[in-house]
Amino acid sequence: MTKGRLEAFSDGVLAIIITIMVLELKVPEGDDWQSLQPLIPKFLAYIFSFLYIGIYWNNHHHLFQAAKKINGGVLWANLHLLFWLSLMPFATEWIGETHFAKNPVTVYGFGLIMCAIAYTIMENLILKNENENSRLKNAIHSKFKEYISIAFYILGIAASFFYPYVAIGLYYVVAVIWLIPDKRIEKSLKED
Amino acid sequence: MTKGRLEAFSDGVLAIIITIMVLELKVPEGDDWQSLQPLIPKFLAYIFSFLYIGIYWNNHHHLFQAAKKINGGVLWANLHLLFWLSLMPFATEWIGETHFAKNPVTVYGFGLIMCAIAYTIMENLILKNENENSRLKNAIHSKFKEYISIAFYILGIAASFFYPYVAIGLYYVVAVIWLIPDKRIEKSLKED
Amino acid sequence: MTKGRLEAFSDGVLAIIITIMVLELKVPEGDDWQSLQPLIPKFLAYIFSFLYIGIYWNNHHHLFQAAKKINGGVLWANLHLLFWLSLMPFATEWIGETHFAKNPVTVYGFGLIMCAIAYTIMENLILKNENENSRLKNAIHSKFKEYISIAFYILGIAASFFYPYVAIGLYYVVAVIWLIPDKRIEKSLKED
Amino acid sequence: MTKGRLEAFSDGVLAIIITIMVLELKVPEGDDWQSLQPLIPKFLAYIFSFLYIGIYWNNHHHLFQAAKKINGGVLWANLHLLFWLSLMPFATEWIGETHFAKNPVTVYGFGLIMCAIAYTIMENLILKNENENSRLKNAIHSKFKEYISIAFYILGIAASFFYPYVAIGLYYVVAVIWLIPDKRIEKSLKED
């Protein structure tokens, strides 16, 4: 099964998710600088989510580039990932609108952890299809990044009940961990 | 005629349909949990339609992967299918907003049956273009799934006049029937 | 210069244009059948514009499939076409909202004629790049369809000042003329 | 690393950016010509931004067509560019809504200069990956256009504090400079 259309469809959905978030930055009534002030938390939330979607696109890109073959299960695992990612604009707007209030930050963290779980499921399904000598399999055998991320999300969600900004900080740490595209895969691709 | 652009355009339209439905999940005013409550029926409707669009994308993907050639008729049959699918966000919002009221559920079912008919027309046109020994032709010669689906939709629409939740249940059964991507095609592709 | 990205970008823009028009079909407050009634003119306008965008996509598809090479001028001519097409959702909503009032129908016709002119400019630029024995050049040497369409649009715009429904009828005639994808090109491609 | 998906994702984001700007052209209440009048500044702002996004797409297209290889850094530099471009609909709406008031025009110019800087960073990263005899490297060794543009943007932003229309004029000059796709690259591609 060719992976071209899965990539094209995912690119389309991710491009739309990343762009509709900007629709939440409603233009102010006036033309003075003060009128931009209420937009600041929304803008910060936008930057944060843009970064996250960018990371997912980047890693998705690396993963499927290295994948040799996909099957029906991977198609559905990918749709499952896109489902959780599609809720990011909602969560982003809620944290922006409420100035990073507790409950919205909890919901945002829940969204992030579900995306991470969905991504890990998809990765596992792809790895299962690879044969024994697969470079991809050797490249991401450790899964350290996946597990540490989920641990940080759990910590973040717990923190969100008391200190939402600490939660945002923890979510941000995960972003930094993933910011550098999967060197493991990049290296293995070069060896080809 | 190459099928690449037909697939790319359909991917674009389906990606947008699946993503704009999430715009209906309007962010609540407050930041408490109660303020999320009115969103529950809308969220359920979103999940349901996401699943349906996902199924159509998946089967569309399988069908065109197996198709050897397409012609002008198939282009229009595909646009006809996309037209009915493009009405899904409207129907989804209506059932969500009215908490699955009778008339909206009837309209939703009507939309689903029109999509199913449009898909069947397109499938038939593709099959007509295939030559005698086409694996695709052998793979989907029975059309059992297509006919049983339309039967269930008719039952569902009838039920929607009295018990909308029964109708939703019947629509859901069809989703489950199609959830597993067309094994018939997948198998035949492997034999190539 | 490869035409792949021009096609992909145009597919993206056309897919979005065709889909955002459906956002104008605002879900009614109630759940009774009467509440759908005000949507009827909007829905008719949507069908009409969907058909038009579909026709443009279809002919765009045929034209670029046959084109051997493109240059910087064609890129800009294509963006020019996309600009006028991008105004279709605005014109569509206006005719729907005002129940096909005179001025909106005039504006709609003006949009259609600008699209037709932009398409013709692009076609000419592509033909200029083709060499002498180009099948594409032979296939669309007559340009009869292009000129008759523009004539009908002018008639339609004139009619819109008095009888907007006659104008819509004339615009519809052009749609029917183009509904059948460019047989001239399709035939010439088969001869290859 | 293949550049296909980077191009497809960028095409998707740019297609959406260019198209959602048209959503700001809200349909007027009435059907008379006067009701269109308040839309004129918004429409002019739309044309202006459409032109700018078109220029970026065009140059992006040329640059990546000529690029031999890309790496993780280029992926992020491209996302950085898309981030600033994604703010264009916001700035466009603000200048349109306020009839090109001072502060909005300053913000618009700031957005343009950030796009230009992001583009230059990306271009530099791509050039760094090219080998010594790269035609692309020879083609854009001067960077004159890049530097003159940034100079004009700085002038424009300074002017926006006093005469916003002069600022718009200066931004427009940059657009004209770039309107002609990068002849340097086009020429070098032909020599291949």
Side-chain angles (χ1 to χ4, degrees), chain D residues 75-91:
Chain D
L75 293 189
W76 278 108
N78 185 53
L79 278 165
H80 180 232
L81 171 62
L82 294 176
F83 174 77
W84 290 107
L85 287 169
S86 80
L87 298 175
M88 290 289 284
F90 174 83

PDB file of all heavy atoms in Angstrom, chain D residues 75-91:
ATOM      1  N   LEU D  75      13.420  22.356   7.469  1.00  0.00           N
ATOM      2  CA  LEU D  75      12.021  22.102   7.851  1.00  0.00           C
ATOM      3  C   LEU D  75      11.540  23.144   8.864  1.00  0.00           C
ATOM      4  O   LEU D  75      10.455  23.709   8.743  1.00  0.00           O
ATOM      5  CB  LEU D  75      11.859  20.710   8.474  1.00  0.00           C
ATOM      6  CG  LEU D  75      12.070  19.472   7.609  1.00  0.00           C
ATOM      7  CD1 LEU D  75      11.643  18.224   8.374  1.00  0.00           C
ATOM      8  CD2 LEU D  75      11.309  19.564   6.305  1.00  0.00           C
ATOM      9  N   TRP D  76      12.368  23.402   9.881  1.00  0.00           N
ATOM     10  CA  TRP D  76      11.972  24.361  10.915  1.00  0.00           C
ATOM     11  C   TRP D  76      12.006  25.788  10.412  1.00  0.00           C
ATOM     12  O   TRP D  76      11.157  26.613  10.787  1.00  0.00           O
ATOM     13  CB  TRP D  76      12.833  24.185  12.179  1.00  0.00           C
ATOM     14  CG  TRP D  76      12.306  23.071  13.003  1.00  0.00           C
ATOM     15  CD1 TRP D  76      12.869  21.842  13.171  1.00  0.00           C
ATOM     16  CD2 TRP D  76      11.071  23.056  13.715  1.00  0.00           C
ATOM     17  NE1 TRP D  76      12.058  21.057  13.955  1.00  0.00           N
ATOM     18  CE2 TRP D  76      10.948  21.771  14.308  1.00  0.00           C
ATOM     19  CE3 TRP D  76      10.041  23.978  13.922  1.00  0.00           C
ATOM     20  CZ2 TRP D  76       9.847  21.417  15.083  1.00  0.00           C
ATOM     21  CZ3 TRP D  76       8.947  23.609  14.689  1.00  0.00           C
ATOM     22  CH2 TRP D  76       8.857  22.343  15.260  1.00  0.00           C
ATOM     23  N   ALA D  77      12.988  26.107   9.566  1.00  0.00           N
ATOM     24  CA  ALA D  77      13.037  27.461   8.995  1.00  0.00           C
ATOM     25  C   ALA D  77      11.794  27.715   8.148  1.00  0.00           C
ATOM     26  O   ALA D  77      11.246  28.829   8.132  1.00  0.00           O
ATOM     27  CB  ALA D  77      14.298  27.629   8.157  1.00  0.00           C
ATOM     28  N   ASN D  78      11.317  26.671   7.468  1.00  0.00           N
ATOM     29  CA  ASN D  78      10.104  26.793   6.663  1.00  0.00           C
ATOM     30  C   ASN D  78       8.876  26.991   7.553  1.00  0.00           C
ATOM     31  O   ASN D  78       8.014  27.834   7.273  1.00  0.00           O
ATOM     32  CB  ASN D  78       9.945  25.533   5.801  1.00  0.00           C
ATOM     33  CG  ASN D  78       8.785  25.613   4.845  1.00  0.00           C
ATOM     34  OD1 ASN D  78       8.681  26.558   4.077  1.00  0.00           O
ATOM     35  ND2 ASN D  78       7.890  24.637   4.909  1.00  0.00           N
ATOM     36  N   LEU D  79       8.797  26.223   8.662  1.00  0.00           N
ATOM     37  CA  LEU D  79       7.680  26.409   9.594  1.00  0.00           C
ATOM     38  C   LEU D  79       7.708  27.814  10.196  1.00  0.00           C
ATOM     39  O   LEU D  79       6.656  28.421  10.424  1.00  0.00           O
ATOM     40  CB  LEU D  79       7.734  25.360  10.712  1.00  0.00           C
ATOM     41  CG  LEU D  79       7.133  24.000  10.338  1.00  0.00           C
ATOM     42  CD1 LEU D  79       7.547  22.931  11.334  1.00  0.00           C
ATOM     43  CD2 LEU D  79       5.614  24.079  10.265  1.00  0.00           C
ATOM     44  N   HIS D  80       8.903  28.319  10.458  1.00  0.00           N
ATOM     45  CA  HIS D  80       9.054  29.678  10.977  1.00  0.00           C
ATOM     46  C   HIS D  80       8.502  30.697   9.975  1.00  0.00           C
ATOM     47  O   HIS D  80       7.766  31.623  10.347  1.00  0.00           O
ATOM     48  CB  HIS D  80      10.548  29.942  11.259  1.00  0.00           C
ATOM     49  CG  HIS D  80      10.833  31.310  11.789  1.00  0.00           C
ATOM     50  ND1 HIS D  80      11.775  32.129  11.222  1.00  0.00           N
ATOM     51  CD2 HIS D  80      10.291  32.015  12.815  1.00  0.00           C
ATOM     52  CE1 HIS D  80      11.810  33.277  11.897  1.00  0.00           C
ATOM     53  NE2 HIS D  80      10.929  33.231  12.861  1.00  0.00           N
ATOM     54  N   LEU D  81       8.815  30.498   8.709  1.00  0.00           N
ATOM     55  CA  LEU D  81       8.268  31.376   7.668  1.00  0.00           C
ATOM     56  C   LEU D  81       6.743  31.277   7.622  1.00  0.00           C
ATOM     57  O   LEU D  81       6.033  32.292   7.571  1.00  0.00           O
ATOM     58  CB  LEU D  81       8.863  31.001   6.308  1.00  0.00           C
ATOM     59  CG  LEU D  81       8.240  31.671   5.071  1.00  0.00           C
ATOM     60  CD1 LEU D  81       8.410  33.178   5.111  1.00  0.00           C
ATOM     61  CD2 LEU D  81       8.865  31.116   3.789  1.00  0.00           C
ATOM     62  N   LEU D  82       6.219  30.033   7.668  1.00  0.00           N
ATOM     63  CA  LEU D  82       4.764  29.849   7.617  1.00  0.00           C
ATOM     64  C   LEU D  82       4.084  30.503   8.823  1.00  0.00           C
ATOM     65  O   LEU D  82       2.968  31.015   8.717  1.00  0.00           O
ATOM     66  CB  LEU D  82       4.405  28.360   7.541  1.00  0.00           C
ATOM     67  CG  LEU D  82       4.830  27.636   6.266  1.00  0.00           C
ATOM     68  CD1 LEU D  82       4.495  26.153   6.357  1.00  0.00           C
ATOM     69  CD2 LEU D  82       4.180  28.250   5.026  1.00  0.00           C
ATOM     70  N   PHE D  83       4.766  30.486   9.974  1.00  0.00           N
ATOM     71  CA  PHE D  83       4.194  31.134  11.161  1.00  0.00           C
ATOM     72  C   PHE D  83       3.931  32.611  10.889  1.00  0.00           C
ATOM     73  O   PHE D  83       2.828  33.108  11.135  1.00  0.00           O
ATOM     74  CB  PHE D  83       5.129  30.981  12.365  1.00  0.00           C
ATOM     75  CG  PHE D  83       4.658  31.749  13.560  1.00  0.00           C
ATOM     76  CD1 PHE D  83       3.614  31.282  14.331  1.00  0.00           C
ATOM     77  CD2 PHE D  83       5.242  32.966  13.906  1.00  0.00           C
ATOM     78  CE1 PHE D  83       3.157  32.008  15.427  1.00  0.00           C
ATOM     79  CE2 PHE D  83       4.786  33.694  14.993  1.00  0.00           C
ATOM     80  CZ  PHE D  83       3.742  33.217  15.754  1.00  0.00           C
ATOM     81  N   TRP D  84       4.938  33.318  10.388  1.00  0.00           N
ATOM     82  CA  TRP D  84       4.754  34.751  10.154  1.00  0.00           C
ATOM     83  C   TRP D  84       3.752  35.010   9.037  1.00  0.00           C
ATOM     84  O   TRP D  84       2.940  35.949   9.122  1.00  0.00           O
ATOM     85  CB  TRP D  84       6.106  35.435   9.865  1.00  0.00           C
ATOM     86  CG  TRP D  84       6.949  35.486  11.096  1.00  0.00           C
ATOM     87  CD1 TRP D  84       8.065  34.741  11.360  1.00  0.00           C
ATOM     88  CD2 TRP D  84       6.718  36.285  12.274  1.00  0.00           C
ATOM     89  NE1 TRP D  84       8.546  35.029  12.619  1.00  0.00           N
ATOM     90  CE2 TRP D  84       7.741  35.979  13.203  1.00  0.00           C
ATOM     91  CE3 TRP D  84       5.751  37.228  12.637  1.00  0.00           C
ATOM     92  CZ2 TRP D  84       7.820  36.577  14.463  1.00  0.00           C
ATOM     93  CZ3 TRP D  84       5.827  37.821  13.890  1.00  0.00           C
ATOM     94  CH2 TRP D  84       6.852  37.496  14.786  1.00  0.00           C
ATOM     95  N   LEU D  85       3.778  34.152   8.014  1.00  0.00           N
ATOM     96  CA  LEU D  85       2.788  34.315   6.944  1.00  0.00           C
ATOM     97  C   LEU D  85       1.368  34.090   7.462  1.00  0.00           C
ATOM     98  O   LEU D  85       0.418  34.726   7.001  1.00  0.00           O
ATOM     99  CB  LEU D  85       3.090  33.368   5.778  1.00  0.00           C
ATOM    100  CG  LEU D  85       4.301  33.751   4.918  1.00  0.00           C
ATOM    101  CD1 LEU D  85       4.677  32.611   3.975  1.00  0.00           C
ATOM    102  CD2 LEU D  85       4.020  35.019   4.105  1.00  0.00           C
ATOM    103  N   SER D  86       1.237  33.171   8.449  1.00  0.00           N
ATOM    104  CA  SER D  86      -0.101  32.853   8.971  1.00  0.00           C
ATOM    105  C   SER D  86      -0.714  34.047   9.703  1.00  0.00           C
ATOM    106  O   SER D  86      -1.924  34.064   9.960  1.00  0.00           O
ATOM    107  CB  SER D  86      -0.057  31.632   9.887  1.00  0.00           C
ATOM    108  OG  SER D  86       0.404  31.992  11.178  1.00  0.00           O
ATOM    109  N   LEU D  87       0.109  35.027  10.080  1.00  0.00           N
ATOM    110  CA  LEU D  87      -0.436  36.216  10.753  1.00  0.00           C
ATOM    111  C   LEU D  87      -0.923  37.277   9.764  1.00  0.00           C
ATOM    112  O   LEU D  87      -1.545  38.265  10.155  1.00  0.00           O
ATOM    113  CB  LEU D  87       0.614  36.813  11.692  1.00  0.00           C
ATOM    114  CG  LEU D  87       1.064  35.879  12.820  1.00  0.00           C
ATOM    115  CD1 LEU D  87       2.179  36.500  13.622  1.00  0.00           C
ATOM    116  CD2 LEU D  87      -0.108  35.542  13.751  1.00  0.00           C
ATOM    117  N   MET D  88      -0.630  37.054   8.485  1.00  0.00           N
ATOM    118  CA  MET D  88      -1.050  38.018   7.463  1.00  0.00           C
ATOM    119  C   MET D  88      -2.566  38.240   7.435  1.00  0.00           C
ATOM    120  O   MET D  88      -3.011  39.395   7.313  1.00  0.00           O
ATOM    121  CB  MET D  88      -0.567  37.582   6.083  1.00  0.00           C
ATOM    122  CG  MET D  88       0.927  37.689   5.880  1.00  0.00           C
ATOM    123  SD  MET D  88       1.496  39.403   5.765  1.00  0.00           S
ATOM    124  CE  MET D  88       0.957  39.787   4.089  1.00  0.00           C
ATOM    125  N   PRO D  89      -3.422  37.202   7.520  1.00  0.00           N
ATOM    126  CA  PRO D  89      -4.866  37.475   7.503  1.00  0.00           C
ATOM    127  C   PRO D  89      -5.291  38.406   8.630  1.00  0.00           C
ATOM    128  O   PRO D  89      -6.143  39.282   8.436  1.00  0.00           O
ATOM    129  CB  PRO D  89      -5.494  36.083   7.678  1.00  0.00           C
ATOM    130  CG  PRO D  89      -4.474  35.140   7.144  1.00  0.00           C
ATOM    131  CD  PRO D  89      -3.143  35.754   7.493  1.00  0.00           C
ATOM    132  N   PHE D  90      -4.694  38.236   9.818  1.00  0.00           N
ATOM    133  CA  PHE D  90      -5.004  39.122  10.938  1.00  0.00           C
ATOM    134  C   PHE D  90      -4.641  40.569  10.601  1.00  0.00           C
ATOM    135  O   PHE D  90      -5.460  41.479  10.726  1.00  0.00           O
ATOM    136  CB  PHE D  90      -4.243  38.664  12.192  1.00  0.00           C
ATOM    137  CG  PHE D  90      -4.385  39.598  13.358  1.00  0.00           C
ATOM    138  CD1 PHE D  90      -5.489  39.522  14.194  1.00  0.00           C
ATOM    139  CD2 PHE D  90      -3.426  40.563  13.620  1.00  0.00           C
ATOM    140  CE1 PHE D  90      -5.633  40.392  15.259  1.00  0.00           C
ATOM    141  CE2 PHE D  90      -3.568  41.440  14.685  1.00  0.00           C
ATOM    142  CZ  PHE D  90      -4.668  41.356  15.509  1.00  0.00           C
ATOM    143  N   ALA D  91      -3.398  40.780  10.160  1.00  0.00           N
ATOM    144  CA  ALA D  91      -2.934  42.138   9.859  1.00  0.00           C
ATOM    145  C   ALA D  91      -3.734  42.741   8.706  1.00  0.00           C
ATOM    146  O   ALA D  91      -4.072  43.929   8.716  1.00  0.00           O
ATOM    147  CB  ALA D  91      -1.446  42.123   9.533  1.00  0.00           C
TER     148      ALA D  91
END
